[in-house]
């Protein structure tokens, strides 16, 4: 088993947090992991992406040229990274910010209005967790419980009060994938 995931979006959308949470969750599940962050010139509003590999085998390189999963949180990310998804791979699109459709027909496409769902839950900043919950459900790469434990590590004690709302977002994303799978 190996998942090669590219998370991409604007700085401030929680791209690095998604990658860190998946990396920690993978380690907690006894997998080999790598996490490679990349920031644009500006922190908030600039581009951000990270490459995460989670595998049963040792990870050879942290750089991903052929992704099994891509998460595009904004239009520039969709335009840049859709071509990185291997045939049969998965593409997650934040349709709250991306009105364009994916161009490929040889991949699984998950359209999730992450910002809208996050606003319904009560905090726009958890849109990344909505997508992450969907990714976890669709790939079974880890468990929601492992992601929650990793979330506590990533947030740290000072932000522990944010765990419940993030948990709601993860669960909502997973529920959405369940609904989409049953159609």
């Amino acid at each position: 088993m190996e998942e090669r995931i590219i998370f991409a979006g604007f700085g401030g959308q929680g791209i690095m947090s998604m990658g860190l949470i998946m990396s920690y969750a993978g380690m907690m599940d006894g997998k080999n992991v790598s996490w490679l962050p990349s920031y644009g010139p500006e922190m908030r509003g600039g581009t951000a992406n990270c490459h995460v590999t989670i595998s049963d085998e040792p990870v050879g390189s942290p750089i991903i040229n052929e992704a099994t999963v891509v998460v595009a949180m904004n239009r520039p990310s969709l335009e840049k990274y859709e071509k990185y998804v291997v045939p049969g791979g998965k593409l997650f699109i934040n349709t709250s910010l991306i009105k364009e459709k994916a161009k490929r027909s040889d991949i699984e496409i998950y359209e999730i209005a992450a910002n809208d769902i996050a606003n319904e839950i009560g905090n726009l900043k958890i849109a990344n967790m909505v997508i992450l919950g969907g990714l976890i459900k669709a790939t079974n790469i880890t468990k929601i419980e492992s992601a929650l434990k990793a979330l506590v590590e990533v947030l740290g004690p000072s932000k522990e009060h944010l765990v419940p709302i993030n948990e709601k977002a993860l669960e909502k994303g997973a529920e959405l994938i369940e609904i989409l799978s049953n159609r």
Side-chain angles (χ1 to χ4, degrees):
M1 182 286 305
E2 180 176 273
E3 292 287 353
R4 297 177 310 279
I5 309 165
I6 297 175
F7 295 98
F10 292 129
Q13 285 186 300
I15 302 303
M16 300 308 155
S17 295
M18 284 193 283
L20 274 175
I21 290 166
M22 285 303 294
S23 297
Y24 277 118
M27 285 189 290
M28 290 174 182
D29 290 345
K31 308 281 187 207
N32 295 289
V33 303
S34 72
W35 174 69
L36 180 66
S38 176
Y39 300 93
E42 316 89 21
M43 288 294 273
R44 297 218 174 262
T47 59
N49 72 78
C50 66
H51 294 198
V52 175
T53 302
I54 301 174
S55 178
D56 290 332
E57 303 295 323
V59 178
S61 171
I63 298 169
I64 298 173
N65 294 315
E66 295 183 324
T68 57
V69 178
V70 165
V71 172
M73 293 295 286
N74 62 9
R75 195 185 89 241
S77 298
L78 175 63
E79 291 170 356
K80 181 173 182 175
Y81 291 107
E82 180 179 357
K83 65 184 174 226
Y84 283 66
V85 184
V86 297
K90 295 172 176 53
L91 173 63
F92 291 82
I93 300 173
N94 177 8
T95 58
S96 296
L97 298 180
I98 304 170
K99 301 308 175 200
E100 291 79 9
K101 296 287 186 188
K103 294 178 173 64
R104 309 240 329 250
S105 60
D106 62 340
I107 58 177
E108 294 177 44
I109 299 166
Y110 298 89
E111 295 180 333
I112 299 174
N115 290 42
D116 298 337
I117 294 167
N119 275 330
E120 288 170 18
I121 295 171
N123 188 337
L124 178 60
K125 292 182 179 183
I126 59 172
N128 62 337
M129 293 296 104
V130 173
I131 292 272
L132 194 61
L135 184 155
I136 291 168
K137 181 69 174 176
T139 63
N140 292 313
I141 186 85
T142 189
K143 300 174 212 68
I144 293 287
E145 297 79 27
S146 299
L148 283 170
K149 288 180 190 170
L151 176 68
V152 171
E153 290 292 319
V154 171
L155 290 178
S158 67
K159 294 184 181 175
E160 198 171 318
H161 65 282
L162 298 173
V163 170
I165 196 165
N166 279 277
E167 182 176 5
K168 282 183 190 173
L170 284 166
E171 290 171 354
K172 189 69 172 174
E175 287 171 17
L176 186 58
I177 297 302
E178 184 78 33
I179 292 166
L180 293 173
S181 298
N182 290 328
R183 285 189 181 170

